[in-house]
């Protein structure tokens, strides 16, 4: 992919959290950002953020769970801004509760937003990109796409589904020798407003499982993936890497560990917020929540692992060079010490 300056990039869930941070990062790149979400106040503030950062932001109100709304928004974007170069699926909602405490309607709605929202966004993007045989689709994923945890069965199920769906679409594009790319960015626990506005049935305020990262870490990874979409997946943050590798090596052991620690680690000692939930209606219709949640003091603003992931080519070359130099030095010492 060429640099994003002047190119049209769609971001769903753009009014808050990771989507909001992604919008700002795209603004710094000089992109034309099409912002899709439901909350008009959050969307308007996001558009201002993009402009302040150096790009151009345009608001498109839509519920990603509704295919027709997503399609109509995309058609307006192409008419008003031009061909979509990148589509970033990020919007989600969920319920913090034990599975047995979630109603069928709540489960269905979570799945429609968090899973089908990605399906509809991907379908609409491909329908527009295929005639041009160019474009990229980036899925904002999670370490929980391969490792389920308690109190988040609806979210984990949707993220697992997104991974399988994305792999299927990716292989179809590869079989067609298409120049359209789709990639998945697996994210760690993040300090976003979701812990204030996702429907919670817990007795205590929900929190990300520490260690926690700021949403800008995720945003940098997602925008980098948009510029380099050929890679299958990006893993962001050392906890993501550790979780995904542990799940591959010892899943039963991880089950026991998560069963013992997962419920307590997702709750603070404070009472939960009351009267706010974005499952059925946008929480930021009249209030701008921004990108950050309530855990700034405990959140990391950088990820050395992300830097290594973005520079893995030079890093591998440097390691290979160091190994070759070490081998040469060893050979030289052996030759020097050998008897004549």
């Amino acid at each position: 992919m060429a640099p994003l300056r002047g190119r049209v990039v769609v971001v769903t869930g753009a009014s808050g959290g990771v989507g909001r941070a992604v919008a700002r990062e795209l603004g710094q790149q000089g992109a034309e950002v099409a912002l899709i979400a439901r909350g008009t106040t959050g969307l308007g503030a996001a558009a201002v953020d993009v402009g302040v950062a150096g790009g151009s932001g345009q608001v498109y109100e839509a519920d990603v769970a509704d295919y027709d709304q997503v399609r109509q928004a995309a058609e307006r974007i192409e008419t008003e801004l031009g061909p979509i170069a990148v589509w970033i699926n990020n919007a989600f909602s969920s319920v913090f509760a034990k599975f047995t405490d979630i109603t069928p309607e709540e489960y269905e709605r979570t799945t429609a937003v968090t899973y089908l929202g990605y399906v509809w966004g991907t379908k609409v993007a491909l329908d527009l990109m295929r005639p041009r045989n160019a474009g990229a689709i980036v899925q904002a994923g999670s370490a929980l796409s391969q490792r389920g945890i308690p109190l988040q069965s609806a979210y984990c199920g949707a993220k697992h589904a997104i991974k399988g769906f994305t792999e299927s679409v990716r292989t179809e594009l590869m079989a067609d020798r298409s120049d359209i790319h789709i990639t998945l960015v697996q994210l760690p626990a993040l300090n976003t407003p979701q812990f204030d506005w996702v429907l919670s049935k817990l007795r205590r305020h929900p929190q990300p499982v520490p260690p926690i990262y700021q949403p800008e870490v995720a945003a940098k990874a997602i925008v980098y993936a948009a510029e380099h979409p050929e890679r299958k997946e990006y893993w962001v943050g050392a906890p993501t890497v550790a979780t995904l590798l542990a799940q591959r090596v010892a899943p039963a052991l991880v089950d026991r560990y998560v069963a013992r620690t997962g419920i307590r680690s997702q709750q603070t000692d404070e009472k939960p917020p009351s009267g706010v939930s974005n499952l059925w209606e946008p929480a930021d219709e009249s209030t701008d929540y921004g990108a950050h949640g309530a855990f700034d003091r405990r959140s990391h603003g950088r990820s050395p692992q992300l830097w290594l992931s973005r520079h893995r080519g030079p890093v591998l070359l440097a390691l290979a060079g160091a190994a070759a130099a070490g081998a040469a030095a060893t050979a030289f010492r052996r030759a020097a010490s050998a008897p004549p």
Side-chain angles (χ1 to χ4, degrees), residues 5-85:
R5 178 168 296 279
R7 310 191 81 186
V8 178
V9 182
V10 176
V11 183
T12 71
S15 63
V18 170
R20 182 71 166 269
V22 168
R24 291 175 183 160
E25 184 71 18
L26 289 168
Q28 293 176 9
Q29 301 292 327
E32 297 226 17
V33 189
L35 307 158
I36 294 179
R38 297 173 299 163
T40 53
T41 297
L43 276 174
V48 171
D49 283 353
V50 174
V52 170
S56 173
Q58 187 69 31
V59 168
Y60 297 89
E61 187 176 351
D63 184 343
V64 298
D66 187 321
Y67 168 75
D68 287 333
Q69 289 190 39
V70 178
R71 178 180 54 80
Q72 291 166 13
E75 290 172 352
R76 282 185 55 205
I77 291 166
E78 292 235 330
T79 298
E80 297 172 5
L81 302 182
I84 296 170

Side-chain angles (χ1 to χ4, degrees), residues 185-190 211-221 234-242 299-311:
V185 183
Q186 305 286 39
L187 301 175
L190 297 163
I212 307 168
Y213 291 85
Q214 295 287 25
E216 285 77 15
V217 174
K220 290 182 182 300
Y234 289 86
W235 295 0
V236 181
T240 299
V241 175
S299 300
H300 303 286
R302 302 187 181 203
S303 169
Q305 180 277 332
L306 175 59
W307 185 91
L308 289 172
S309 178
R310 292 174 58 176
H311 299 85

Side-chain angles (χ1 to χ4, degrees), residues 170-210:
R170 175 180 168 83
T171 54
E172 289 175 2
L173 291 172
M174 293 172 66
D176 291 340
R177 299 183 182 276
S178 174
D179 287 330
I180 302 169
H181 300 282
I182 185 168
T183 187
L184 183 64
V185 183
Q186 305 286 39
L187 301 175
L190 297 163
N191 175 36
T192 69
Q194 78 172 87
F195 301 94
D196 291 320
W197 70 20
V198 167
L199 176 61
S200 176
K201 299 185 180 184
L202 306 178
R203 294 182 178 181
R204 298 296 178 185
H205 195 299
Q207 69 171 2
V209 178

Side-chain angles (χ1 to χ4, degrees), residues 289-301:
Y289 282 80
H292 288 210
F295 305 99
D296 277 331
R297 293 182 180 179
R298 298 165 52 194
S299 300
H300 303 286

Side-chain angles (χ1 to χ4, degrees), residues 106-193:
E106 291 165 347
Y107 222 98
E108 185 174 36
R109 174 62 180 170
T110 296
T111 303
V113 174
T114 308
Y115 172 53
L116 290 180
Y118 278 52
V119 175
W120 303 151
T122 301
K123 178 170 176 52
V124 166
L126 285 177
D127 287 345
L128 295 171
M129 293 174 178
R130 286 181 67 189
R132 302 189 287 266
N133 192 30
I137 299 168
V138 181
Q139 318 282 47
S142 169
L144 302 185
S145 69
Q146 296 181 53
R147 172 63 256 173
I149 61 174
L151 307 180
Q152 295 203 52
S153 62
Y155 179 83
C156 292
K159 288 298 183 180
H160 273 67
I162 288 167
K163 177 174 171 58
F165 162 74
T166 300
E167 289 174 343
S168 181
V169 174
R170 175 180 168 83
T171 54
E172 289 175 2
L173 291 172
M174 293 172 66
D176 291 340
R177 299 183 182 276
S178 174
D179 287 330
I180 302 169
H181 300 282
I182 185 168
T183 187
L184 183 64
V185 183
Q186 305 286 39
L187 301 175
L190 297 163
N191 175 36
T192 69

